[in-house]
Amino acid sequence: EVQLVESGGGLVQPGGSLRLSCAASGFTFTRSWMSWVRQAPGKGLEWVANINQDGSQRYYVDSVKGRFTISRDNAKKSLFLQMNSLRAEDTAVYYCARGDYDILTGYYMDVWGKGTTVTVSS
Amino acid sequence: SYELTQPPSVSVSPGQTARITCSGDALPKQYAYWYHQKPGQAPMLIIYKDSERPSGIPERFSGSSSGTTVTLTISGVQAEDEADYYCQSVDSSGTYVTFGGGAKLTVL
């Protein structure tokens, strides 16, 4: 069964840091682009970051550039999101998703985890 | 930043056809993708490359594209289709992902 399981969410103070993890199973992780997408309470989906198969290409939404870092460990079939200088507006459910990218067809996400909740508050 | 525009809400009676639009300047050159999300659940891909359906998605879900607008059509709407629907694409560079604001489908 194809599965993504996020962990690492929690309550953190403004300015603090948190590292999210995503464990992948049931598919060839090394062949897949991966993404983080978030959803603030009562709001829509917001793409956060993408990473390619070997980690050599990384893309971020403008609001997290310089604060968040996406990375992966192919040997452990794991995806990570290091979040620094957290702000109240980063409060959201963070989803890990498997991506599919092609220069002709663009990028989309076909498998999603259930999400992990990050709350930034004092 | 690139934007995709959706109506915030769509309402239909059971058995009717629901149409949810999504507009964006890059859509003539970039494919659109559709997801639905039920309360408390993760999003699920229901349409890819404008009009293709992943395996397991009912035939009543279909997608189309015309110029800067793509449309998700749900024929014979059922109560279980009540959910939030999001379109998604990439900008003209093909690099940055964007979601529409989401449309809440209400089955009357």
Side-chain angles (χ1 to χ4, degrees), chain B residues 21-100:
Chain B
T21 59
C22 173
S23 299
D25 291 341
L27 290 178
K29 289 175 275 188
Q30 301 289 357
Y31 282 109
Y33 301 85
W34 290 93
Y35 306 84
H36 73 181
Q37 184 183 33
K38 296 183 180 180
Q41 296 185 17
M44 176 185 293
L45 179 72
I46 56 173
I47 294 288
Y48 66 100
K49 291 200 298 182
D50 289 348
S51 59
E52 303 290 326
R53 240 184 354 264
S55 61
I57 301 301
E59 291 183 5
R60 65 179 182 274
F61 291 92
S62 63
S64 61
S65 175
S66 179
T68 58
T69 299
V70 294
T71 302
L72 171 70
T73 301
I74 310 171
S75 305
V77 167
Q78 301 180 6
E80 66 194 48
D81 298 330
E82 193 164 273
D84 293 324
Y85 289 83
Y86 295 91
C87 61
Q88 177 253 303
S89 188
V90 293
D91 68 351
S92 55
S93 74
T95 303
Y96 296 96
V97 176
T98 298
F99 287 95

